[in-house]
Amino acid sequence: MSALSDDAIRKVFVELQAKYVASTQQLNTVKAQIQAKQRDRKMAELTRRELDSLDADTKTYKPVGKMFVQTPLSEMKQQYVERIKDSDDKIQQLEKSQKYWDRAALDAQSNLKDILQGPRTM
């Protein structure tokens, strides 16, 4: 009877360990995505600020592949405002995902501790 319970405990332990590793990997991936989106948002914000400082009659050019296309200043400003808004939305979604994976990793870790510290006698 004891060997069966040890095998069951070992199986649950391995499953929880795999869940913990997967949750931690997902958490690290989401953190990297958040940092990338924050960097993109910051660059868009800085570019928008520079565009705000330009005169209304300044010629602006938008990069398209290997070429540049002349674009009205107001349109360029609007594109960067939208890019900032999209980045903010994506960051909020990623932060929710980060909380989920963080909670999943903590739950798996606490379950692993419970298994390791729990009594095995029956």
Side-chain angles (χ1 to χ4, degrees), residues 50-107:
E50 286 298 317
L51 289 174
D52 285 343
S53 68
L54 296 176
D55 293 330
D57 60 345
T58 305
K59 292 182 180 181
T60 56
Y61 297 87
K62 175 178 144 181
V64 178
K66 291 184 178 182
M67 65 180 187
F68 293 91
V69 178
Q70 186 173 0
T71 309
L73 181 61
S74 61
E75 187 178 318
M76 289 285 286
K77 287 180 185 180
Q78 185 61 32
Q79 287 175 356
Y80 282 101
V81 167
E82 289 173 8
R83 190 176 293 178
I84 292 167
K85 183 183 176 300
D86 290 343
S87 292
D88 287 341
D89 292 343
K90 185 66 175 176
I91 288 170
Q92 285 180 344
Q93 290 174 352
L94 288 169
E95 285 173 345
K96 288 178 185 176
S97 179
Q98 179 184 8
K99 287 178 186 177
Y100 170 80
W101 288 114
D102 190 34
R103 194 170 344 143
L106 288 174
D107 288 346

Side-chain angles (χ1 to χ4, degrees), residues 35-50:
Q35 288 176 343
K37 275 296 175 189
Q38 287 173 337
R39 199 170 32 254
D40 290 346
R41 187 202 183 286
K42 191 173 196 176
M43 286 182 59
E45 178 68 28
L46 291 171
T47 304
R48 188 197 54 79
R49 284 185 195 165
E50 286 298 317

Side-chain angles (χ1 to χ4, degrees), residues 1 9 14 20 22 25 56 65 80 82 91 114 119 121:
M1 183 91 165
I9 290 173
V14 169
Y20 175 73
Q25 288 174 344
Y80 282 101
E82 289 173 8
I91 288 170
D114 289 346
T121 59

